[in-house]
Amino acid sequence: NENTTVHADPDQLKQALVNLASNAFEAMRPGGTLVLASSSVDRRALLEIRDTGQGIPSQDLPRVYDLYYSRRPEGSGIGLSIVKRIIEAHQGRMEITSQVGVGTTFRISLPLPQQGDLK
């Protein structure tokens, strides 16, 4: 079996995933679906967080990681900014796709340790 252990700060990674899940729950109506999936490809761990929420308009997608930007009146606009910083601090990448009325998917890619990196 391939090693799928990610070298990461568990508290920070947990915070990032909780922020994404919290946003997903807030975007969904009762009975919505949240899917968390993981896999590994080409020495990278892949995490996918997919919801059946209201979706994000395409013109808003470039701004979702901006500090203090929120589409919700009660939103602080810091959650996704924190998520992006955490993922980038772990040499990760994020991608977002969304369709209004259908839902949003966040894809996170984190490096897996190379053969001599495990202790």
Side-chain angles (χ1 to χ4, degrees):
N1 253 348
E2 180 181 343
N3 176 25
T4 53
T5 300
V6 173
H7 286 211
D9 179 311
D11 292 329
Q12 286 186 358
L13 201 52
K14 177 182 174 183
Q15 180 180 5
L17 295 175
V18 166
N19 283 357
L20 290 171
S22 176
N23 283 354
F25 286 126
E26 290 175 12
M28 291 188 293
R29 292 189 171 104
T33 302
L34 175 65
V35 175
L36 303 172
S38 66
S39 61
S40 63
V41 175
D42 296 330
R43 304 300 309 151
R44 297 195 68 83
L46 307 176
L47 304 171
E48 186 172 276
I49 299 91
R50 183 173 58 242
D51 69 57
T52 57
Q54 61 193 10
I56 302 168
S58 59
Q59 68 270 19
D60 290 345
L61 284 175
R63 300 190 61 205
V64 296
Y65 298 116
D66 291 354
L67 190 57
Y68 305 121
Y69 176 76
S70 178
R71 294 177 43 241
R72 295 186 333 265
E74 70 282 0
S76 67
I78 62 171
L80 289 178
S81 177
I82 289 171
V83 170
K84 184 172 184 183
R85 283 191 207 151
I86 289 170
I87 298 306
E88 288 177 349
H90 290 87
Q91 290 75 50
R93 297 186 298 258
M94 289 186 62
E95 173 188 315
I96 180 174
T97 55
S98 189
Q99 186 175 352
V100 173
V102 177
T104 301
T105 300
F106 284 90
R107 288 179 188 85
I108 297 170
S109 169
L110 296 166
L112 292 170
Q114 298 299 317
Q115 278 294 338
D117 292 348
L118 297 177
K119 298 178 178 172

